[in-house]
Amino acid sequence: MIFSNSVPEYQPSKKQVADWETFRKGLNLLLRPTELSKDEYSQGDNIMLKGSGVPTGRWGSSTYFTVGSSGTVRGIGTYVTTSANDIFALTDDGYVEKKNGLLSTRIVGQSWPSGSIMRSEQLGGETYLVSSAVPFTKYVGSSFSIFVTVSAPTGLYATNISGVSGTNRVSYKVLANTPSGHTEPSANYVLANLPSDLTRTSTLVSWVAPSAPTITGYEVYRGREGDETFLSTITSNTTSYVDRGTDAAQTIGPPLTNTTGGIKSPIIKKYQNRLLLVQGSKLLISGLYPDQTDFSLMGGGGELNIDPDSGDDITGVEVQPIADRIVVYKNRSSYLVKLDFVSVGPFYLMDPTYQPISTAVGCSNQDTIATVENDTFYFGRDGIYVTGYEPNFLNIIRTNETSARMRPYFAKLGASDYATACAMYVDHKYLLAFPRLRELLVYDRERGCFVGIWKMPYGISSMKKYFDSSGTEHWVFGSSDTNTIYEFIPSVNSDDGTIVVKTLRTNKEDFGDWTKLATIEFFYALFRAITGSVTVNIIIEDRNGSNLIAKTFTITGAETSGMTGWGTDLWGTTPWGTTLTNEFSASLDEVPRWGTLFKQVRSVQVEVTTSSIDSNFELLKLNMRAKRSSGTLSSSQRV
C-alpha cells in the first residue's frame, strides 16, 4: 500500500467584510432592518444627508418673533414692496400681527374668530388674506381694508315694447357688479306672450339699483324659469336694457353667491395675474390685474364646479410649473383646469373646463402642497405624491408616489394629522410636518430618498420661506403650541435651547448568510466634524436570537461656541437677556476609530447617537471584518 505523508497546505477561512461607504438611499421603514441594503438605514431621528450620502444632524431652530400675547399660530403671510417687507401671522386671539424685532405689532381693520386658519397671496402690490370664517381682506402695508357688501337689484320688470306677441315665456334676472365682485341675482321676472323668434320683438328690462356708490355695472340673464343664462352686461349706471333677441350663452348661468363684500374661502392662490379662491367644490377665478379682486363675468372672472356630485370639497389648488396650468385637488382626486373663453354677442366670457388627472389619489389640505423644482409635491390619504409632466409628453400630467418606504409611518396617523399637516420646500428638501406628533418627515430631492424623522419640542402649524429686507432667506414656521414663530438655522444645533437628540441606526448585517454565525474580529469607523459628545453602540444578535450591545464608545469633538445669556428673550413682556443661539463650529478633520470585538453573531447593527447640548457628527464610513464561524444556531431553535 502507498500512503501519502505530505501535510496539506493550510487554508485559512476567508474573511467576511461589511463596508458601509454611503447611506444615499436614506431611511427605509417599509422593510425590516435585516432586509435593508447597507446604503439604507432603519432609524434616522433628526438626521439628514450631506454630499454623497453622509449622515449628519439636522438644523436647529431659534425664535424669530413672538406674535401677540396668546394663542397658537394659525397662518403666516408676507407683504413685500420696494418700501416694505412685512411678515405677519394670525393667532388664536383673532388678530394678525407683523414682526417688529423679536415682538410684533397688531394690524388693525379686521379680526378673525379663534381657531380660524388664515392663508394669503400677494398680487398687484397688495396682499389678500382669506379664511372660511372671514371675507376676503386686503392689506396694503398699514391696515386692513374690507369690502362693502352690496345687495341685489330689486324691482325687476320687463315689458314687450314692439307689440309682436306669441306663446313664448321668457324669464329675466339681473345682478350688480362692484370692484370686488357681484351681487346674487335678483328675483326673476317672467314675461309671457312673446314670439318664439325673439329677434322679432324688443323687450325693455328695467330694475331699481341697490343703494351703493361702488356699482360698476350690471349683468342681464335670460332663459326659461330657473335656467337663465348670460345675455349682456351694462357698464354704466343705466338701470335698463333693451333685449332685441340676441342669443344668450348656452351654459353660463348667474352665480348664486354675493361676492361684493369679499369671498369666504379656505384657499387662495395666484395664477398669472389672477387670484383663485374656493367655495366647496367650486373654483372661483378673478379677472386679470388690475381687476384681481373682481370675480364677476363683467370683470373678466368666472367660476367652475368641479365634480360637484363627488361629495368631496376642494382641498388644494396649485399652479403646475412649466406649462403654467391650474391643478385642483380633492381628498381622493385631482383635476386639470383650463381657462377657456366663449363669444356671446360682442362679449368674450370665461368658460373654464376641467379633466381628471387621477380619480384615486388626492390631497389632504392646501398647506401640504409645495412646488418642487418642476413638479408639485402633495400629501394625502395614500402618502406623498408628485404631480408633474410625463417626460417627452408635455401635454400629459401624471401622478407618482414617492413615499412607499414610509408607509408604516403613515399607518399611525389619524384624521387630524391629515387635516393639520403642512409642508415647505427649502434647501432641496420637502419638509412635511405633523403638529400633533411634533414631527417632520423629510424627503431629500437631490438624493431621491427620505432622510429622517425630525422630532421637535413643539408642533408646527404652518411654514413659509421668507426673504427679509436685506435679502436674507429665512425658513420660518409657526408653533401649534404657542404664539411663537421660529426659524430653522443650519448653524444652530439646538431647538431654541432644547437638546436635539440624534439617532442613526444602520441595517442589520448578517455577512451574506443568515443561517451561519460569524465572528466579528475588527470594526472601524470614520467620522468628521465631531462636536460635543457622540456615542457609538455596536448591537449584535447572538446565536440565541438575543439583541445586546456588544461594544460602546464615546467620541468627544470640538468645543462649541456661541452666545450665552439668560436663555430667554422676555421677562414678562419686557425684553431681558439674550437668546441662547447655540451656534457651533466643528473641525473638518477626519476622526477614525477602530477596535476588536471577537464576538460570535448572527447579525450586527451600528447605532450612532447624541444626547447632549450642541453635539453633532458626520458619519463617513463603517467597516467590519469577520470570519465565518463553525458554530451553529442555538439548539433551542432546532426542530
Side-chain angles (χ1 to χ4, degrees), residues 458-477:
Y458 23 71
I460 296 177
S461 60
S462 56
M463 294 191 276
K464 188 86 170 177
K465 181 164 64 174
Y466 166 67
F467 293 89
D468 65 20
S469 56
S470 67
T472 302
E473 183 175 331
H474 297 271
W475 308 331
V476 301
F477 56 92

Side-chain angles (χ1 to χ4, degrees), residues 83-393:
S83 58
N85 198 302
D86 295 341
I87 179 169
F88 51 80
L90 172 70
T91 61
D92 287 319
D93 62 8
Y95 296 101
V96 168
E97 305 210 1
K98 63 181 178 180
K99 184 180 187 298
N100 183 2
L102 291 175
L103 302 178
S104 60
T105 302
R106 181 173 298 176
I107 305 172
V108 299
Q110 184 64 283
S111 62
W112 285 257
S114 179
S116 299
I117 304 297
M118 180 270 292
R119 298 184 176 101
S120 66
E121 194 72 77
Q122 182 169 334
L123 176 60
E126 300 171 337
T127 292
Y128 301 94
L129 288 72
V130 297
S131 167
S132 297
V134 172
F136 194 65
T137 303
K138 180 170 65 176
Y139 175 62
V140 291
S142 56
S143 62
F144 290 122
S145 174
I146 60 176
F147 299 100
V148 177
T149 301
V150 177
S151 59
T154 58
L156 182 64
Y157 182 77
T159 182
N160 185 343
I161 59 175
S162 67
V164 180
S165 62
T167 59
N168 193 11
R169 289 168 56 90
V170 173
S171 176
Y172 291 94
K173 287 184 178 180
V174 176
L175 59 81
N177 294 118
T178 72
S180 58
H182 50 72
T183 68
E184 67 273 19
S186 66
N188 71 311
Y189 184 87
V190 178
L191 182 62
N193 301 320
L194 292 176
S196 297
D197 183 2
L198 295 178
T199 61
R200 296 175 53 206
T201 187
S202 296
T203 302
L204 176 63
V205 183
S206 61
W207 57 89
V208 177
S211 178
T214 56
I215 293 175
T216 57
Y218 300 90
E219 295 174 13
V220 180
Y221 293 78
R222 185 193 68 199
R224 292 191 179 94
E225 299 171 59
D227 192 27
E228 299 85 356
T229 57
F230 177 85
L231 178 62
S232 181
T233 64
I234 295 95
T235 57
S236 68
N237 291 327
T238 303
T239 56
S240 63
Y241 171 75
V242 176
D243 177 12
R244 303 187 188 280
T246 303
D247 288 340
Q250 296 294 315
T251 59
I252 304 176
L256 302 179
T257 57
N258 191 326
T259 64
T260 59
I263 300 167
K264 293 180 180 179
S265 169
I267 296 170
I268 184 169
K269 192 68 185 177
K270 181 168 64 176
Y271 172 65
Q272 296 177 350
N273 286 330
R274 302 178 187 270
L275 292 176
L276 308 175
L277 301 183
V278 167
Q279 287 184 328
S281 62
K282 184 187 299 181
L283 178 69
L284 291 90
I285 306 155
S286 80
L288 284 168
Y289 172 82
D291 297 320
Q292 70 269 22
T293 61
D294 192 344
F295 291 81
S296 68
L297 289 173
M298 180 178 170
E303 59 185 46
L304 177 64
N305 265 314
I306 299 179
D307 196 10
D309 295 321
S310 66
D312 198 7
D313 290 342
I314 295 172
T315 56
V317 178
E318 188 55 82
V319 177
Q320 180 64 33
I322 302 180
D324 204 29
R325 301 283 290 277
I326 301 170
V327 179
V328 172
Y329 299 91
K330 292 189 173 186
N331 268 306
R332 297 198 178 276
S333 55
S334 58
Y335 306 85
L336 184 66
V337 174
K338 183 180 179 181
L339 300 191
D340 290 327
F341 292 84
V342 296
S343 174
V344 179
F347 306 104
Y348 284 90
L349 306 178
M350 183 184 293
D351 188 22
T353 59
Y354 71 92
Q355 64 185 55
I357 298 173
S358 171
T359 56
V361 178
C363 175
S364 64
N365 77 78
Q366 175 71 25
D367 293 333
T368 68
I369 303 174
T371 299
V372 177
E373 311 302 334
N374 293 324
D375 295 319
T376 299
F377 276 45
Y378 61 97
F379 174 66
R381 299 286 175 176
D382 298 299
I384 299 173
Y385 274 75
V386 55
T387 300
Y389 282 88
E390 193 67 33
N392 303 318
F393 297 93

Side-chain angles (χ1 to χ4, degrees), residues 16 28 45 59 182 219 235 275 323 440 455 559 609:
Q16 306 292 319
N28 189 340
D45 294 350
W59 319 310
H182 50 72
E219 295 174 13
T235 57
L275 292 176
L440 294 95
K455 299 178 182 294
E559 295 293 331
T609 184

